[in-house]
Amino acid sequence: PLNGVIGLSNIMLMENPREDQKENLSMLKFSAENLLALINDILDLNKLESDKIELENISFYLADLLKNSAGSLRLNDIEKGLDFRVIVADGMQDKLIASDPTRLTQVLTNLVNNAIKFTQSGSVTLETEILDITAEHLMVRFSVRDTGIGVSKDKQEDIFEPFTQASKSTTRQFGGTGLGLSIVKKILAMFNSDIHLDSQPGKGSTFWFDIKFAYSNQQPLEVRETASKMHSLQGMKVLVAEDNKVNAMVIRKILSQWNIEPVLAENGLTAVQKLTEDDYDVVLMDLHMPELDGYEASRQIRSLPDTNKANVPIVALTASVSNSVDVKVKEAGMNGYLPKPFKPEDLYSTLADLTDKESAF
């Protein structure tokens, strides 16, 4: 349902609404995204407590992750007029880290958003420091400092418990559920780390943690232009397999903004039939459909005798929260997936990337 609410909000905001409509739509989108964040937090907490989350081991530049995170986080402090700074330690630019960038970003995002939330004026700073370095390992300290309301000594342990905040007045004034710091603590335990807090009421807080990374020295490649800037999607032939009428309408309206008129299939069986009858540049495949689900439909497509049709890029669209989705998608022969609700810009980048590479993304 949130895919429909957020998707339609995005579409209507892109259609140049009147100022009064824009304000209402922005409030609707903001509320829906907050509800989505709450649901995701509850699901994450459940998975963490059930030991159903495993860290990935992906190579990435830590300095780039910090800079990219800063760009999205900076949007949250503009209205409050806070001074938000990110300080990247010297010597970190060429360090290619092997770790889980998604979960590390989740920790930093939670801590920075928390700091912005509880700071009315002043500054919020995300800083990294290299504590120790060997030929293969790098010990990094991450600190998030703010000039906010602070936390009294007797409450500093409590705030890391689920659904707990420092006081009832904090909940009334700032809202929230008290899940963010609990999630941070549990994720850091997976990194063999722990969260620490130095704070005084009225003087701000500093949350910090240390993580040991395996790394290699490698100069970052030049960042290529994003596919969305290099390619127009006009004329792309897209087949959308989606049984939910609201979701199908959202996808169709989003694609029409880029001059794409998709062909719709109400289930996987129809999608396979339509693909045998015509050629498409990409298939957007819902996973859970009647007659034939997205997994089996993808397997049948990959088995088609026409190699061009059999190799068409397939992108799964799913609201599933299962940890095995990524594995199942790959086993079925799909190129990747986007989680619902998806952002229009993420879908655009995915389609542009497929157009650019004409291969898996």
Side-chain angles (χ1 to χ4, degrees):
L2 277 175
N3 185 59
V5 175
I6 295 175
L8 287 172
S9 300
N10 280 320
I11 291 165
M12 290 187 285
L13 282 168
M14 287 169 16
E15 293 177 343
N16 297 317
R18 297 194 314 266
E19 198 59 37
D20 59 322
Q21 294 174 325
K22 185 176 180 180
E23 182 179 3
N24 290 338
L25 288 169
S26 296
M27 290 172 61
L28 174 64
K29 182 171 179 284
F30 175 80
S31 298
E33 288 176 343
N34 277 334
L35 178 57
L36 177 64
L38 171 60
I39 292 171
N40 284 336
D41 279 349
I42 293 172
L43 291 171
D44 267 349
L45 186 65
N46 179 265
K47 290 179 185 177
L48 287 163
E49 290 181 338
S50 303
D51 295 323
K52 291 185 176 179
I53 288 181
E54 295 181 1
L55 293 181
E56 294 185 297
N57 194 40
I58 298 172
S59 295
F60 63 97
Y61 288 100
L62 187 55
D64 288 349
L65 180 141
L66 292 166
K67 291 174 183 175
N68 292 337
S69 297
S72 59
L73 291 168
R74 188 166 282 113
L75 298 175
N76 297 331
D77 76 326
I78 291 176
E79 290 185 3
K80 302 181 80 171
L82 301 176
D83 179 18
F84 176 50
R85 289 170 290 175
V86 176
I87 302 174
V88 180
D90 291 338
M92 197 174 284
Q93 299 295 336
D94 62 346
K95 300 297 185 290
L96 189 64
I97 302 298
S99 188
D100 190 326
T102 301
R103 293 300 170 186
L104 181 57
T105 299
Q106 186 177 8
V107 168
L108 296 175
T109 299
N110 266 318
L111 291 177
V112 172
N113 282 339
N114 215 46
I116 292 172
K117 177 180 177 180
F118 294 109
T119 303
Q120 297 301 318
S121 62
S123 64
V124 172
T125 303
L126 167 59
E127 183 173 7
T128 56
E129 176 187 0
I130 298 177
L131 299 181
D132 187 37
I133 185 168
T134 66
E136 297 179 345
H137 291 95
L138 186 72
M139 180 68 78
V140 180
R141 173 162 295 177
F142 299 83
S143 303
V144 177
R145 299 192 306 271
D146 65 62
T147 57
I149 62 174
V151 183
S152 61
K153 193 73 174 176
D154 62 318
K155 296 293 183 181
Q156 290 183 12
E157 292 292 328
D158 296 342
I159 62 173
F160 294 103
E161 295 301 316
F163 303 104
T164 302
Q165 292 189 334
S167 67
K168 291 181 180 179
S169 63
T170 300
T171 306
R172 284 195 304 271
Q173 184 176 354
F174 296 97
T177 59
L179 287 175
L181 291 178
S182 176
I183 290 172
V184 164
K185 184 176 181 179
K186 291 180 182 298
I187 292 176
L188 287 179
M190 299 171 67
F191 283 98
N192 296 315
S193 182
D194 198 6
I195 188 72
H196 303 274
L197 171 60
D198 298 321
S199 183
Q200 292 184 42
K203 295 186 178 180
S205 304
T206 299
F207 290 86
W208 57 275
F209 59 91
D210 303 334
I211 295 182
K212 184 178 182 180
F213 298 104
Y215 83 97
S216 62
N217 284 308
Q218 186 173 328
Q219 287 295 328
L221 297 173
E222 288 295 320
V223 179
R224 73 178 181 91
E225 277 191 277
T226 61
S228 61
K229 291 181 180 179
M230 295 170 64
H231 296 279
S232 168
L233 301 183
Q234 184 171 357
M236 176 179 269
K237 294 185 66 174
V238 179
L239 175 61
V240 177
E242 172 64 73
D243 66 307
N244 184 289
K245 292 182 179 180
V246 173
N247 288 339
M249 179 181 66
V250 168
I251 296 172
R252 181 176 59 78
K253 284 182 174 289
I254 289 174
L255 292 175
S256 69
Q257 300 283 333
W258 309 322
N259 296 312
I260 297 174
E261 290 301 325
V263 174
L264 301 179
E266 64 272 15
N267 56 57
L269 185 61
T270 305
V272 176
Q273 291 171 346
K274 287 183 179 295
L275 189 62
T276 60
E277 296 166 359
D278 201 355
D279 292 326
Y280 294 92
D281 297 309
V282 64
V283 179
L284 300 179
M285 184 78 75
D286 185 36
L287 294 182
H288 303 290
M289 296 179 289
E291 300 289 342
L292 201 66
D293 66 22
Y295 297 114
E296 185 56 34
S298 297
R299 292 188 187 96
Q300 291 192 17
I301 290 171
R302 294 297 183 233
S303 300
L304 292 173
D306 185 327
T307 55
N308 287 331
K309 296 179 185 295
N311 292 319
V312 63
I314 305 174
V315 180
L317 301 175
T318 178
S320 174
V321 297
S322 171
N323 291 329
S324 60
V325 168
D326 188 44
V327 174
K328 286 183 175 180
V329 161
K330 291 177 181 176
E331 288 178 345
M334 288 180 261
N335 299 67
Y337 76 98
L338 286 174
K340 297 176 184 176
F342 57 84
K343 297 177 181 178
E345 57 265 31
D346 291 339
L347 177 60
Y348 190 102
S349 295
T350 297
L351 294 176
D353 197 41
L354 287 169
T355 304
D356 179 35
K357 294 179 180 180
E358 297 183 348
S359 63
F361 65 96

